[in-house]
Amino acid sequence: MTRYVMVADINRCVGCQTCTAACKHTNATAPGVQWRKVLDFEVGTYPNVRRAFIPVGCNHCLDAPCADVCPTKATYKRPDGIVSINYDLCIGCAYCIQACPYQARDRVDVPNKAYGKQFGQMKHEQKVPHSERRAVAQKCTFCVDRIDYGTANGLTPGIDPDATPACANTCIADALIFGDIDDPESNVSKLLRTHEHFQMHEELETGSGFYYLWERK
């Protein structure tokens, strides 16, 4: 079995927002829509105060609340664990947006003219036209086109750049790590074995696919 997850080392993240910019450039999201965000916190008590940064986005849950409430089954989970959206089935009801506990979904109703008719892409990436993402739910896809291209061509997602999400590829601090958690020898599995970690809203038992490292065991 294969299940792709994202791991964020919050001790390495410097809050540069490069992952946010890379995601927006790669997916040409509408103005104001960010599929990858970095939350900026002030933690501690004066005078021992510091900033902390938390990358967030779709958690690609095993038991995804967004899929449970979708009346048309437009939101679905792939065999590799990625939660995806069939834009042809989505009716834009926004139930999934309300159900997502991670605030990771958006709907854009107005035409997106920020990028014009075309936008840059690698030759193997088949981007969804802006018009097809209007008035429907949208979110992070883990750059699924890269993953599908990579697995079809013998590449390893999370290791080979052409098969890895743009946010992880561009992280200047190597704070974002992508890989197959079902492979005990994968990069993410090794990190989770050697570090204390947590998931957001663990009490909801969604089976989040986004892990946060905070210290070595």
Side-chain angles (χ1 to χ4, degrees), residues 14-92:
V14 297
C16 66
Q17 305 283 347
T18 301
C19 58
T20 301
C23 176
K24 178 165 283 292
H25 174 76
T26 299
N27 295 290
T29 56
V33 174
Q34 295 175 329
W35 291 354
R36 172 69 67 242
K37 305 175 187 176
V38 179
L39 305 182
D40 188 339
F41 295 94
E42 185 178 276
V43 297
T45 304
Y46 178 83
N48 300 312
V49 177
R50 65 182 180 86
R51 293 171 70 190
F53 307 103
I54 309 289
V56 296
C58 177
N59 281 235
H60 295 273
C61 306
L62 279 177
D63 186 12
C66 55
D68 290 341
V69 301
C70 181
T72 64
K73 305 302 179 185
T75 293
Y76 64 98
K77 185 166 68 71
R78 294 178 13 142
D80 59 10
I82 295 174
V83 176
S84 192
I85 302 173
N86 184 333
Y87 295 128
D88 291 331
L89 294 179
C90 181
I91 58 175

Side-chain angles (χ1 to χ4, degrees), residues 49-166:
V49 177
R50 65 182 180 86
R51 293 171 70 190
F53 307 103
I54 309 289
V56 296
C58 177
N59 281 235
H60 295 273
C61 306
L62 279 177
D63 186 12
C66 55
D68 290 341
V69 301
C70 181
T72 64
K73 305 302 179 185
T75 293
Y76 64 98
K77 185 166 68 71
R78 294 178 13 142
D80 59 10
I82 295 174
V83 176
S84 192
I85 302 173
N86 184 333
Y87 295 128
D88 291 331
L89 294 179
C90 181
I91 58 175
C93 66
Y95 288 176
C96 60
I97 296 174
Q98 296 300 318
C100 176
Y102 307 102
Q103 300 179 5
R105 288 174 166 251
D106 296 279
R107 188 181 72 182
V108 176
D109 295 321
V110 297
N112 175 14
K113 298 180 180 179
Y115 293 87
K117 294 182 179 180
Q118 302 292 330
F119 54 97
Q121 60 186 44
M122 298 173 66
K123 62 182 180 180
H124 61 266
E125 294 177 320
Q126 299 299 315
K127 294 302 180 187
V128 176
H130 300 138
S131 59
E132 293 185 24
R133 286 209 308 245
R134 195 182 311 148
V136 296
Q138 57 173 280
K139 67 174 191 67
C140 159
T141 66
F142 275 167
C143 290
V144 69
D145 46 343
R146 289 171 177 255
I147 294 170
D148 289 344
Y149 168 83
T151 54
N153 288 275
L155 303 179
T156 303
I159 301 298
D160 298 300
D162 280 356
T164 300

